[in-house]
Amino acid sequence: MWCHTIVLPLSAYGRSAHRSDTVLSGEWTGRMTTKIELIVAELENPEAFDAQLPALLEEARALPGLQRLESGRVWPKEDGTPRPAHRTLALYFAGYEDASAATASPEGAAFFPAFVGSAGGGVTGLFTEVED
């Protein structure tokens, strides 16, 4: 089963919508939702990063084509061993082209280096095709 994005008239939903809606189907239409996942490594000073996070999230929300944003803190491990990361940030776009364009935009040129710099360079970035 593929998860892809199509644009439907507002009347199809009986509600107001200004962005593409994701639907499930068995057919490939050539456009897949793309997620840019930023994984922040465990930090020496997580409080400093977290203090900058609200401003960074505002910059992320300005990325062209952004459909959805999810930010989360990684839970500590119950056994007391170090957690694998401090935080994640997921940025959703209608497709790979939109995600790539966002990284190359003036907003992306401001956001991505600021985010990575705030984390002291300890960021892993992934482009993911959202399947389901």
Side-chain angles (χ1 to χ4, degrees):
M1 183 175 288
W2 291 96
C3 174
H4 64 277
T5 302
I6 60 171
V7 178
L8 297 174
L10 299 179
S11 60
Y13 292 101
R15 62 177 168 78
S16 175
H18 66 280
R19 295 205 169 120
S20 300
D21 287 282
T22 302
V23 298
L24 296 177
S25 163
E27 295 182 28
W28 164 249
T29 63
R31 189 143 173 126
M32 297 292 286
T33 298
T34 297
K35 174 176 67 170
I36 299 175
E37 181 91 25
L38 301 174
I39 303 167
V40 178
E42 191 58 63
L43 303 170
E44 288 184 30
N45 186 356
E47 294 82 15
F49 178 81
D50 289 345
Q52 297 177 58
L53 189 61
L56 292 167
L57 294 178
E58 282 306 309
E59 286 187 47
R61 286 184 181 95
L63 292 170
L66 181 72
Q67 293 185 321
R68 184 166 56 117
L69 177 150
E70 292 177 355
S71 175
R73 184 185 311 240
V74 177
W75 285 107
K77 294 175 89 176
E78 291 181 8
D79 65 3
T81 59
R83 58 186 172 179
H86 172 62
R87 179 172 284 284
T88 63
L89 178 62
L91 308 168
Y92 291 85
F93 297 88
Y96 184 86
E97 296 80 12
D98 293 335
S100 294
T103 65
S105 71
E107 295 87 352
F111 167 70
F112 290 102
F115 189 86
V116 172
S118 295
V123 175
T124 300
L126 306 170
F127 270 58
T128 306
E129 178 182 85
V130 178
E131 295 175 334
D132 202 356

